[in-house]
Amino acid sequence: VLGQLVNLEYLSFYSNNISIVPNQLSSLTNLTTLDFSLNDITTIPSVVCDLELSGTTIIIDPGVTCN
């Protein structure tokens, strides 16, 4: 379902206790901001981190890495 929201520009998972970032987010190429702050995430899939190459700002907590 997330991958079908291709026109979405802002997505916030702020403070939702999530621990896994789905790869499907990589298809949201119109995102300008993606917020993962204050969650239980330790790594973000590299395909999602690659969104930064197309101008998406990804907000994460200190210590979270791309993998």
Side-chain angles (χ1 to χ4, degrees):
V1 174
L2 279 175
Q4 296 174 346
L5 302 172
V6 294
N7 293 316
L8 193 65
E9 293 181 3
Y10 182 90
L11 183 58
S12 176
F13 292 98
Y14 177 84
S15 191
N16 277 290
N17 297 318
I18 63 170
S19 57
I20 297 172
V21 176
N23 288 333
Q24 292 88 343
L25 292 178
S26 65
S27 64
L28 304 179
T29 56
N30 287 322
L31 280 177
T32 58
T33 305
L34 186 54
D35 186 352
F36 293 115
S37 56
L38 295 179
N39 282 289
D40 297 326
I41 298 168
T42 56
T43 61
I44 297 175
S46 60
V47 292
V48 174
C49 290
D50 287 348
L51 287 170
E52 285 187 311
L53 299 173
S54 57
T56 301
T57 299
I58 299 177
I59 304 167
I60 57 175
D61 294 327
V64 176
T65 60
C66 290
N67 187 11

